[in-house]
Structure formats: C-alpha cells, structure tokens
Coordinates of all heavy atoms in Angstrom, one line a residue:
D1 N -7.7 6.4 -5.1 CA -7.3 7.6 -4.5 C -5.9 8.0 -4.6 O -5.5 9.1 -4.9 CB -7.7 7.6 -3.0 CG -9.2 7.7 -2.8 OD1 -9.9 8.1 -3.7 OD2 -9.6 7.3 -1.7
L2 N -5.0 6.9 -4.5 CA -3.6 7.1 -4.6 C -3.2 7.6 -6.0 O -2.4 8.4 -6.2 CB -2.8 5.9 -4.2 CG -1.3 6.0 -4.0 CD1 -1.0 7.0 -3.0 CD2 -0.7 4.7 -3.6
M3 N -3.9 7.0 -7.0 CA -3.6 7.4 -8.4 C -4.0 8.8 -8.7 O -3.3 9.6 -9.4 CB -4.2 6.4 -9.4 CG -3.6 5.0 -9.4 SD -4.4 3.8 -10.4 CE -4.1 4.5 -12.0
I4 N -5.2 9.2 -8.2 CA -5.6 10.6 -8.3 C -4.7 11.6 -7.7 O -4.4 12.6 -8.2 CB -7.1 10.7 -7.8 CG1 -8.0 9.9 -8.7 CG2 -7.5 12.2 -7.8 CD1 -9.4 9.8 -8.2
A5 N -4.3 11.2 -6.4 CA -3.4 12.1 -5.7 C -2.0 12.2 -6.5 O -1.5 13.3 -6.5 CB -3.2 11.6 -4.3
T6 N -1.6 11.1 -7.0 CA -0.3 11.2 -7.8 C -0.5 12.0 -9.1 O 0.4 12.8 -9.4 CB 0.1 9.8 -8.2 OG1 0.3 9.0 -7.0 CG2 1.4 9.8 -8.9
A7 N -1.6 11.9 -9.7 CA -1.9 12.7 -10.9 C -1.9 14.2 -10.6 O -1.4 15.0 -11.3 CB -3.2 12.3 -11.6
I8 N -2.5 14.5 -9.5 CA -2.6 15.9 -9.0 C -1.2 16.4 -8.7 O -0.8 17.5 -9.1 CB -3.5 16.1 -7.8 CG1 -4.9 15.9 -8.2 CG2 -3.3 17.5 -7.2 CD1 -5.9 15.8 -7.0
G9 N -0.4 15.6 -8.1 CA 1.0 16.0 -7.8 C 1.8 16.2 -9.1 O 2.6 17.1 -9.2
L10 N 1.6 15.3 -10.0 CA 2.3 15.4 -11.3 C 2.0 16.7 -12.1 O 2.8 17.3 -12.7 CB 2.1 14.2 -12.2 CG 2.8 12.9 -11.7 CD1 2.3 11.7 -12.5 CD2 4.3 13.0 -11.8
T11 N 0.7 17.1 -12.0 CA 0.3 18.3 -12.7 C 0.9 19.5 -12.1 O 1.1 20.5 -12.7 CB -1.2 18.4 -12.8 OG1 -1.7 18.5 -11.4 CG2 -1.9 17.3 -13.5
C12 N 1.2 19.4 -10.8 CA 1.8 20.6 -10.1 C 3.3 20.6 -10.2 O 3.9 21.7 -9.9 CB 1.4 20.6 -8.6 SG -0.3 20.8 -8.3
G13 N 3.9 19.5 -10.6 CA 5.4 19.5 -10.8 C 6.1 18.9 -9.6 O 5.4 18.5 -8.6
V14 N 7.4 18.9 -9.6 CA 8.2 18.3 -8.5 C 9.0 19.3 -7.8 O 9.9 18.9 -7.0 CB 9.0 17.2 -9.1 CG1 8.2 16.0 -9.6 CG2 10.0 17.7 -10.2
R15 N 8.9 20.6 -8.0 CA 9.7 21.5 -7.3 C 9.3 21.7 -5.8 O 10.2 22.1 -5.0 CB 9.7 22.9 -8.0 CG 10.3 22.8 -9.3 CD 10.4 24.2 -9.9 NE 11.2 24.1 -11.2 CZ 11.6 25.2 -11.8 NH1 11.2 26.4 -11.4 NH2 12.3 25.0 -12.9
H16 N 8.1 21.5 -5.5 CA 7.6 21.7 -4.1 C 7.0 20.4 -3.6 O 6.5 19.6 -4.3 CB 6.6 22.8 -4.1 CG 7.1 24.1 -4.6 ND1 8.0 24.9 -3.9 CD2 6.9 24.8 -5.8 CE1 8.2 26.0 -4.6 NE2 7.6 25.9 -5.7
L17 N 7.1 20.3 -2.3 CA 6.6 19.1 -1.6 C 5.1 19.2 -1.3 O 4.4 18.2 -1.2 CB 7.4 18.9 -0.3 CG 7.0 17.7 0.6 CD1 7.4 16.4 -0.2 CD2 7.7 17.7 1.9
L18 N 4.6 20.4 -1.2 CA 3.2 20.5 -0.8 C 2.2 19.8 -1.7 O 1.3 19.1 -1.2 CB 2.8 22.0 -0.7 CG 1.4 22.3 -0.1 CD1 1.3 21.7 1.3 CD2 1.1 23.8 -0.2
P19 N 2.3 19.8 -3.0 CA 1.3 19.1 -3.8 C 1.4 17.5 -3.6 O 0.5 16.8 -3.9 CB 1.7 19.4 -5.3 CG 2.4 20.7 -5.2 CD 3.1 20.7 -3.9
W20 N 2.6 17.1 -3.2 CA 2.8 15.7 -3.0 C 2.4 15.2 -1.5 O 2.5 14.0 -1.3 CB 4.3 15.3 -3.3 CG 4.6 15.5 -4.7 CD1 5.1 16.6 -5.3 CD2 4.3 14.5 -5.7 NE1 5.2 16.3 -6.7 CE2 4.7 15.1 -6.9 CE3 3.7 13.3 -5.8 CZ2 4.6 14.5 -8.2 CZ3 3.6 12.6 -7.0 CH2 4.0 13.2 -8.1
A21 N 2.1 16.1 -0.7 CA 1.8 15.8 0.7 C 0.7 14.8 0.8 O 0.7 13.8 1.6 CB 1.5 17.0 1.5
Y22 N -0.4 15.0 0.1 CA -1.5 14.1 0.1 C -1.2 12.7 -0.4 O -1.6 11.7 0.2 CB -2.7 14.7 -0.7 CG -4.0 13.9 -0.6 CD1 -4.6 13.7 0.6 CD2 -4.6 13.5 -1.8 CE1 -5.8 13.0 0.7 CE2 -5.8 12.8 -1.7 CZ -6.4 12.5 -0.5 OH -7.5 11.8 -0.4
T23 N -0.4 12.6 -1.5 CA 0.1 11.3 -2.0 C 0.9 10.6 -0.9 O 0.7 9.4 -0.7 CB 0.9 11.5 -3.3 OG1 0.2 12.3 -4.2 CG2 1.3 10.2 -3.9
I24 N 1.8 11.3 -0.3 CA 2.7 10.7 0.8 C 1.8 10.2 1.9 O 2.0 9.1 2.5 CB 3.8 11.7 1.2 CG1 4.7 12.0 0.0 CG2 4.5 11.2 2.4 CD1 5.6 13.2 0.2
F25 N 0.9 11.1 2.3 CA 0.0 10.7 3.4 C -0.8 9.4 3.1 O -0.9 8.5 3.9 CB -1.0 11.9 3.7 CG -2.1 11.6 4.7 CD1 -1.8 11.4 6.0 CD2 -3.4 11.4 4.3 CE1 -2.8 11.2 6.9 CE2 -4.4 11.1 5.2 CZ -4.1 11.0 6.5
L26 N -1.4 9.4 1.9 CA -2.2 8.2 1.5 C -1.3 7.0 1.4 O -1.8 5.9 1.8 CB -2.9 8.5 0.1 CG -4.1 9.3 0.2 CD1 -4.6 9.5 -1.3 CD2 -5.2 8.7 1.0
A27 N -0.1 7.1 0.9 CA 0.8 5.9 0.8 C 1.1 5.4 2.2 O 1.1 4.2 2.4 CB 2.1 6.3 0.1
G28 N 1.3 6.3 3.1 CA 1.6 5.9 4.5 C 0.4 5.1 5.1 O 0.6 4.1 5.8
L29 N -0.8 5.7 4.9 CA -2.0 5.0 5.4 C -2.2 3.6 4.7 O -2.5 2.7 5.4 CB -3.2 5.8 5.1 CG -3.5 7.0 5.9 CD1 -4.7 7.8 5.5 CD2 -3.6 6.6 7.4
L30 N -1.9 3.5 3.4 CA -2.1 2.3 2.7 C -1.1 1.2 3.2 O -1.5 0.1 3.5 CB -1.8 2.5 1.2 CG -2.1 1.3 0.3 CD1 -3.5 0.8 0.4 CD2 -1.8 1.7 -1.1
V31 N 0.1 1.6 3.5 CA 1.1 0.6 4.0 C 0.8 0.2 5.4 O 0.9 -1.0 5.7 CB 2.6 1.2 3.9 CG1 3.5 0.4 4.7 CG2 3.0 1.4 2.5
R32 N 0.3 1.1 6.2 CA -0.1 0.8 7.6 C -1.3 -0.2 7.6 O -1.3 -1.1 8.3 CB -0.4 2.1 8.3 CG -0.8 1.8 9.8 CD -1.1 3.2 10.5 NE -1.5 2.9 11.8 CZ -2.8 2.7 12.2 NH1 -3.7 2.7 11.3 NH2 -3.1 2.6 13.5
R33 N -2.2 0.1 6.7 CA -3.4 -0.7 6.6 C -3.0 -2.1 6.1 O -3.6 -3.2 6.6 CB -4.4 -0.1 5.7 CG -5.7 -0.9 5.4 CD -6.5 -1.1 6.7 NE -7.6 -2.0 6.5 CZ -8.8 -1.7 6.4 NH1 -9.2 -0.4 6.4 NH2 -9.7 -2.6 6.2
L34 N -2.1 -2.2 5.2 CA -1.7 -3.5 4.6 C -1.1 -4.3 5.7 O -1.4 -5.5 5.8 CB -0.7 -3.2 3.5 CG -0.2 -4.4 2.8 CD1 -0.4 -4.3 1.3 CD2 1.3 -4.5 3.0
R35 N -0.2 -3.8 6.5 CA 0.5 -4.5 7.5 C -0.6 -5.0 8.6 O -0.5 -6.1 9.1 CB 1.5 -3.7 8.2 CG 2.7 -3.5 7.3 CD 3.8 -2.7 7.9 NE 4.9 -2.6 6.9 CZ 5.9 -1.7 7.1 NH1 5.9 -0.9 8.0 NH2 6.8 -1.7 6.2
H36 N -1.5 -4.1 8.9 CA -2.5 -4.5 9.9 C -3.4 -5.6 9.4 O -3.7 -6.6 10.1 CB -3.4 -3.2 10.2 CG -4.6 -3.5 11.0 ND1 -4.5 -3.7 12.4 CD2 -5.9 -3.6 10.7 CE1 -5.7 -3.9 12.8 NE2 -6.6 -3.8 11.8
D37 N -3.8 -5.5 8.1 CA -4.6 -6.6 7.5 C -3.9 -7.9 7.5 O -4.5 -9.0 7.7 CB -5.1 -6.2 6.1 CG -6.2 -5.1 6.2 OD1 -6.7 -4.9 7.3 OD2 -6.5 -4.6 5.1
E38 N -2.6 -7.9 7.2 CA -1.8 -9.1 7.1 C -1.7 -9.8 8.5 O -1.8 -11.0 8.6 CB -0.4 -8.8 6.6 CG -0.4 -8.6 5.1 CD 1.0 -8.5 4.5 OE1 2.0 -8.5 5.3 OE2 1.2 -8.5 3.3
R39 N -1.5 -9.0 9.5 CA -1.5 -9.6 10.9 C -2.9 -10.2 11.2 O -2.9 -11.3 11.8 CB -1.2 -8.5 11.9 CG 0.3 -8.2 12.0 CD 0.6 -7.4 13.2 NE -0.1 -6.1 13.3 CZ 0.2 -5.0 12.8 NH1 1.4 -4.8 12.2 NH2 -0.5 -3.9 13.0
R40 N -3.9 -9.5 10.9 CA -5.3 -10.1 11.2 C -5.6 -11.3 10.4 O -6.1 -12.3 10.9 CB -6.3 -9.0 10.9 CG -6.3 -7.9 12.0 CD -7.4 -6.9 11.8 NE -8.7 -7.7 12.0 CZ -9.9 -7.1 11.9 NH1 -9.9 -5.8 11.6 NH2 -11.0 -7.8 12.1
C41 N -5.2 -11.3 9.1 CA -5.4 -12.5 8.3 C -4.6 -13.7 8.8 O -5.1 -14.8 8.8 CB -5.2 -12.2 6.8 SG -6.4 -11.2 6.1
Q42 N -3.3 -13.4 9.2 CA -2.5 -14.5 9.7 C -3.1 -15.1 10.9 O -3.1 -16.3 11.1 CB -1.1 -14.0 10.0 CG -0.1 -15.0 10.5 CD 0.1 -16.1 9.5 OE1 0.3 -15.9 8.4 NE2 0.1 -17.3 10.0
A43 N -3.6 -14.2 11.8 CA -4.2 -14.7 13.1 C -5.5 -15.5 12.8 O -5.8 -16.5 13.4 CB -4.5 -13.6 14.0
K44 N -6.3 -15.1 11.8 CA -7.6 -15.7 11.5 C -7.4 -17.0 10.7 O -8.1 -18.0 11.0 CB -8.5 -14.7 10.8 CG -9.9 -15.2 10.6 CD -10.7 -14.1 10.0 CE -12.1 -14.6 9.8 NZ -13.0 -13.6 9.2
Y45 N -6.6 -17.0 9.7 CA -6.6 -18.1 8.7 C -5.4 -19.0 8.9 O -5.4 -20.1 8.4 CB -6.6 -17.5 7.3 CG -7.8 -16.7 7.0 CD1 -7.8 -15.4 6.8 CD2 -9.1 -17.3 7.0 CE1 -8.9 -14.6 6.5 CE2 -10.2 -16.6 6.7 CZ -10.1 -15.3 6.5 OH -11.2 -14.5 6.3
G46 N -4.3 -18.6 9.6 CA -3.2 -19.4 9.9 C -2.5 -20.0 8.7 O -2.0 -19.3 7.9
S47 N -2.5 -21.3 8.6 CA -1.7 -22.0 7.5 C -2.4 -21.7 6.1 O -1.7 -21.7 5.1 CB -1.6 -23.5 7.8 OG -2.9 -24.1 7.8
A48 N -3.7 -21.5 6.1 CA -4.3 -21.1 4.8 C -3.8 -19.8 4.3 O -3.6 -19.6 3.1 CB -5.8 -21.1 5.0
W49 N -3.5 -18.9 5.3 CA -2.9 -17.6 4.9 C -1.5 -17.8 4.4 O -1.1 -17.1 3.4 CB -3.0 -16.6 6.1 CG -2.4 -15.3 5.7 CD1 -1.2 -14.8 6.2 CD2 -2.9 -14.3 4.9 NE1 -1.0 -13.5 5.6 CE2 -2.0 -13.2 4.8 CE3 -4.1 -14.2 4.1 CZ2 -2.3 -12.1 4.1 CZ3 -4.3 -13.1 3.4 CH2 -3.4 -12.0 3.3
D50 N -0.8 -18.7 5.0 CA 0.6 -18.9 4.5 C 0.6 -19.5 3.1 O 1.4 -19.2 2.2 CB 1.3 -19.9 5.4 CG 1.6 -19.3 6.8 OD1 1.7 -18.0 6.9 OD2 1.6 -20.1 7.8
A51 N -0.4 -20.4 2.8 CA -0.5 -21.0 1.5 C -0.9 -19.9 0.5 O -0.4 -19.8 -0.7 CB -1.6 -22.1 1.5
Y52 N -1.8 -19.0 0.9 CA -2.1 -17.9 0.0 C -0.9 -17.0 -0.3 O -0.7 -16.6 -1.4 CB -3.3 -17.1 0.6 CG -3.6 -15.8 -0.1 CD1 -4.3 -15.8 -1.3 CD2 -3.1 -14.6 0.3 CE1 -4.5 -14.6 -2.0 CE2 -3.3 -13.4 -0.3 CZ -4.1 -13.4 -1.5 OH -4.3 -12.3 -2.2
R53 N -0.2 -16.7 0.7 CA 1.0 -15.8 0.6 C 2.1 -16.4 -0.3 O 2.8 -15.8 -1.1 CB 1.7 -15.5 1.9 CG 0.8 -14.6 2.8 CD 0.8 -13.2 2.4 NE 2.1 -12.6 2.4 CZ 2.6 -11.8 1.5 NH1 1.9 -11.4 0.5 NH2 3.9 -11.4 1.6
A54 N 2.1 -17.8 -0.3 CA 3.0 -18.5 -1.2 C 2.6 -18.4 -2.7 O 3.4 -18.3 -3.6 CB 3.1 -19.9 -0.8
L55 N 1.3 -18.3 -2.9 CA 0.7 -18.2 -4.3 C 0.8 -16.7 -4.8 O 0.9 -16.5 -5.9 CB -0.7 -18.7 -4.3 CG -0.9 -20.2 -4.2 CD1 -2.4 -20.5 -4.1 CD2 -0.3 -20.9 -5.3
V56 N 0.7 -15.8 -3.8 CA 0.7 -14.4 -4.2 C 1.8 -13.7 -3.4 O 1.7 -13.2 -2.3 CB -0.7 -13.7 -3.7 CG1 -0.7 -12.3 -4.1 CG2 -1.8 -14.5 -4.3
P57 N 3.0 -13.7 -4.1 CA 4.2 -13.2 -3.4 C 4.3 -11.7 -3.2 O 5.0 -11.3 -2.3 CB 5.4 -13.7 -4.3 CG 4.8 -13.8 -5.6 CD 3.3 -14.2 -5.4
Y58 N 3.6 -11.0 -4.0 CA 3.7 -9.5 -3.9 C 2.6 -8.9 -3.1 O 1.4 -9.3 -3.3 CB 3.8 -8.9 -5.3 CG 4.9 -9.4 -6.1 CD1 4.7 -10.3 -7.1 CD2 6.3 -9.1 -5.8 CE1 5.8 -10.9 -7.8 CE2 7.3 -9.6 -6.5 CZ 7.1 -10.5 -7.5 OH 8.1 -11.1 -8.2
R59 N 2.9 -7.9 -2.3 CA 1.8 -7.4 -1.4 C 1.0 -6.3 -2.1 O -0.2 -6.3 -1.9 CB 2.5 -6.7 -0.2 CG 3.1 -7.7 0.7 CD 3.8 -7.0 1.8 NE 4.4 -8.0 2.8 CZ 5.2 -7.7 3.7 NH1 5.5 -6.4 3.9 NH2 5.7 -8.6 4.5
L60 N 1.6 -5.4 -2.8 CA 0.9 -4.2 -3.3 C 1.2 -3.9 -4.7 O 0.3 -3.7 -5.5 CB 1.3 -3.0 -2.4 CG 0.6 -1.7 -2.7 CD1 -0.9 -1.9 -2.5 CD2 1.1 -0.6 -1.8
I61 N 2.5 -3.9 -5.1 CA 2.9 -3.6 -6.4 C 3.5 -4.8 -7.1 O 4.5 -5.3 -6.7 CB 3.9 -2.4 -6.5 CG1 3.3 -1.2 -5.7 CG2 4.3 -2.1 -7.9 CD1 4.3 -0.1 -5.4
P62 N 2.9 -5.4 -8.1 CA 3.4 -6.6 -8.8 C 4.8 -6.5 -9.2 O 5.2 -5.5 -9.8 CB 2.4 -6.8 -10.0 CG 1.2 -6.0 -9.6 CD 1.6 -4.9 -8.8
R63 N 5.6 -7.5 -8.9 CA 7.0 -7.7 -9.3 C 7.9 -6.7 -8.6 O 9.1 -6.6 -8.9 CB 7.2 -7.6 -10.8 CG 6.4 -8.6 -11.5 CD 7.0 -8.9 -12.9 NE 6.1 -9.5 -13.8 CZ 5.5 -10.7 -13.7 NH1 5.6 -11.4 -12.6 NH2 4.8 -11.2 -14.6
I64 N 7.4 -5.9 -7.6 CA 8.2 -4.9 -6.9 C 8.1 -5.2 -5.4 O 9.1 -5.4 -4.7 CB 7.8 -3.5 -7.2 CG1 8.1 -3.2 -8.7 CG2 8.5 -2.5 -6.3 CD1 7.6 -1.8 -9.1
W65 N 6.9 -5.1 -4.8 CA 6.7 -5.3 -3.4 C 5.3 -5.9 -3.1 O 4.3 -5.5 -3.5 CB 6.9 -4.0 -2.7 CG 6.7 -4.1 -1.2 CD1 7.4 -4.8 -0.3 CD2 5.7 -3.4 -0.4 NE1 7.0 -4.6 1.0 CE2 5.9 -3.8 0.9 CE3 4.7 -2.6 -0.7 CZ2 5.1 -3.3 2.0 CZ3 3.9 -2.1 0.4 CH2 4.1 -2.5 1.7

C-alpha cells in the first residue's frame, strides 16, 4: 500500500502536499504499528526477541532503519 501511495504521489508531482497526504498517513500508521508490535513481541518472547533483534538489526528499511 505504501509503495502504491508513493507512486500516486510521484505521478502528481511534489508541488502540493495533498497527493502525498495518503503516503504520509500510511507511513505514520506503519511506524505506530511497528512500535506496538515490538512492545508486544518483547513482552511475549523476552530474551528470544532480544536474540532475534540482534540477528535482524533493521526494523523496516534495510541498512537505514
């Protein structure tokens, strides 16, 4: 969904914010969900989650974040 929203924003250009509103909204939802899931996984799996996080250092975008 985020890639489609970005593609739509790119076809409309960068002069106005309105075509990018959906992309910004989806990115916000994705980051919020990511943090929520991390808290739940930490509570559920404990040290196994820490080991997983050590093996997978990036949360969403490889080599960036």
Side-chain angles (χ1 to χ4, degrees):
D1 287 339
L2 192 58
M3 290 177 65
I4 292 170
T6 302
I8 291 169
L10 286 172
T11 59
C12 294
V14 294
R15 290 188 175 187
H16 300 286
L17 183 63
L18 186 61
W20 292 96
Y22 186 56
T23 305
I24 294 167
F25 173 73
L26 282 177
L29 283 179
L30 185 61
V31 169
R32 182 178 178 271
R33 176 65 188 258
L34 181 124
R35 290 182 179 161
H36 173 73
D37 288 348
E38 283 187 353
R39 281 194 304 268
R40 289 185 63 180
C41 287
Q42 180 63 45
K44 184 174 182 178
Y45 300 113
S47 62
W49 180 251
D50 294 332
Y52 171 78
R53 292 286 298 138
L55 290 173
V56 183
Y58 303 106
R59 293 178 177 168
L60 185 62
I61 304 169
R63 303 201 196 303
I64 296 174
W65 180 62

